[in-house]
Amino acid sequence: MKITFKLFATLQDYLPPEGKKTNALTLDLAEGTTVEHLVTRFSLPQKLVHLVLIDGNFVPPAERAGRVLRDGETLAIWPPVAGG
């Protein structure tokens, strides 16, 4: 199955070079892959995995380990936002 994986702000540094230009990658994944699998695969620090959306819908922290990704979905992750 294929999904679009997007990382924003400082998390873009965790993408391989081909994804940094557009902040997105198309990934070919095995059935049963979860949000948490991708967080681990890309070595994203848990403290920076703040806002997680699948097709624009919020995925609460308690559901990320069990939320299985489906063909055609877009997974987007943002770090905490600081302001002044």
Side-chain angles (χ1 to χ4, degrees):
M1 75 170 166
K2 291 189 185 291
I3 69 145
T4 302
F5 182 56
K6 295 184 173 187
L7 296 177
F8 293 90
T10 57
L11 289 176
Q12 285 179 290
D13 293 340
Y14 292 88
L15 288 171
E18 64 271 18
K20 289 182 180 179
K21 186 174 183 181
T22 61
N23 80 304
L25 290 172
T26 298
L27 300 176
D28 194 3
L29 303 174
E31 295 291 328
T33 299
T34 65
V35 171
E36 191 62 34
H37 285 130
L38 288 183
V39 168
T40 301
R41 174 177 165 182
F42 284 88
S43 301
L44 304 178
Q46 286 293 333
K47 67 181 182 178
L48 295 182
V49 177
H50 182 69
L51 178 62
V52 175
L53 301 176
I54 296 177
D55 291 341
N57 297 305
F58 178 66
V59 181
E63 296 177 16
R64 295 173 188 168
R67 175 52 166 89
V68 175
L69 295 160
R70 297 179 192 96
D71 188 51
E73 289 184 321
T74 298
L75 170 62
I77 302 176
W78 280 266
V81 177

